[in-house]
Amino acid sequence: MAETELLAGGHSLLPAMKTGLSSPDVLIDIGGLDELHGVSVEDDTLVVGAMTRYSEFLDADGAHEHAPAFAAAVEQVGDRQVRNRGTVGGNLAHADPASDLPGAAVASDVTLVVQGPDGERSVPAEEFFFGMYATDLLPSELVTRVEIPSAAGAVGTYAKKPSPSSGYAMVGVAALIETDGGAVSSARVGASGVMDHGVRLEPVEEALVGEPLEEGTIEAAAGRATEDLDTAMMMDDLQASAEFRAQLLEVYTERALEDAMDRVSAAAAAD
């Protein structure tokens, strides 16, 4: 049976083909499917077609307002050329653990809508990523759209330690923060590049909620970044050891939260 691959933006598949890691017999270009393109706000959800390019997403009305943490991560994907060709759905379906978007998707409570011969189904991001390049996507399915609950009024940030050789995230932390009366009312924090898939940092969230978003709170919360993670399973490669990644995770969690604090302060001053 011929091996078949779908060609979206090509920024994951083509390098794999060049290095011999993938050698499909047939390539099917899905770039011309209009139904898979575009960004719209439907009720309280930002709906993103899977074939929407990063640059198109960033230029779309409402993207930054409704999905601030996800947009902050998209802004740091690759360079201008990559953002003009790579696609949001392709990135998530590929599930590279060092990609910027899986952690941001988890932090943003993203749902991936996939379709196959048996119809359509919706998969929360926290259940979609299984491991390195492994997802809940079946061989006969493709991602058709990404649904992001509106976070209008929240602050979203992304702090990243890029690999000097590839620009991928050695560690990347996305934070989505809401405040009320000076205290954190809601917090979602996700990380890429640390484990073999994007993960949510719930102990950090727990340390933030109900507390003022200030230096002491942030330092204490960031100190809990590795608390629920199996450090024995952390990424360990030529870029960084597992021990170093654990240290980076705390540092970049703190930076993401400090950025959120600055944005909240700036918004309060503007009012």
Side-chain angles (χ1 to χ4, degrees):
M1 185 175 180
E3 181 183 350
T4 302
E5 290 280 5
L6 300 179
L7 178 63
H11 280 276
S12 300
L13 177 59
L14 295 184
M17 291 173 64
K18 288 179 180 179
T19 57
L21 295 176
S22 179
S23 54
D25 301 297
V26 179
L27 283 180
I28 300 176
D29 186 352
I30 59 174
L33 298 177
D34 293 339
E35 296 86 350
L36 301 184
H37 289 264
V39 180
S40 61
V41 180
E42 300 178 11
D43 297 325
D44 292 327
T45 302
L46 186 73
V47 180
V48 185
M51 282 296 300
T52 302
R53 295 187 176 99
Y54 305 123
S55 57
E56 293 171 338
F57 173 81
L58 294 173
D59 290 341
D61 292 338
H64 294 270
E65 175 187 359
H66 294 282
F70 196 78
V74 173
E75 287 179 331
Q76 295 197 44
V77 172
D79 53 25
R80 186 183 299 273
Q81 289 87 346
V82 169
R83 292 191 294 274
N84 282 338
R85 290 298 303 170
T87 64
V88 172
N91 181 301
L92 295 172
H94 187 58
D96 189 322
S99 178
D100 299 294
L101 298 195
V106 170
S108 300
D109 198 19
V110 160
T111 294
L112 293 98
V113 180
V114 306
Q115 189 162 356
D118 296 327
E120 187 176 270
R121 63 191 182 96
S122 299
V123 187
E126 288 187 69
E127 299 174 14
F128 184 77
F129 302 108
F130 285 168
M132 188 177 295
Y133 309 115
T135 71
D136 189 53
L137 196 64
L138 299 176
S140 58
E141 293 179 320
L142 77 160
V143 177
T144 58
R145 64 184 184 275
V146 175
E147 298 180 345
I148 309 174
S150 176
V155 167
T157 63
Y158 181 67
K160 167 185 177 180
K161 170 63 175 175
S163 162
S165 60
S166 68
Y168 278 81
M170 290 170 62
V171 167
V173 179
L176 186 65
I177 306 293
E178 293 185 62
T179 58
D180 184 12
V184 176
S185 58
S186 175
R188 292 184 66 95
V189 183
S192 294
V194 183
M195 309 299 288
D196 63 0
H197 63 288
V199 292
R200 188 173 170 191
L201 307 181
E202 294 189 63
V204 174
E205 300 169 357
E206 294 168 0
L208 292 170
V209 174
E211 301 294 331
L213 192 60
E214 58 188 25
E215 291 289 349
T217 302
I218 289 172
E219 184 178 356
R224 298 182 60 183
T226 63
E227 191 170 296
D228 272 0
L229 302 180
D230 184 352
T231 54
M233 297 300 292
M234 280 189 177
M235 299 278 287
D236 191 329
D237 52 32
L238 293 175
Q239 301 281 355
S241 66
E243 182 180 8
F244 184 43
R245 273 193 166 86
Q247 296 173 7
L248 287 175
L249 181 60
E250 292 188 13
V251 170
Y252 281 84
T253 298
E254 187 167 353
R255 291 186 183 183
L257 297 177
E258 287 175 343
D259 188 5
M261 177 182 67
D262 292 342
R263 289 169 184 261
V264 168
S265 298
D271 291 340

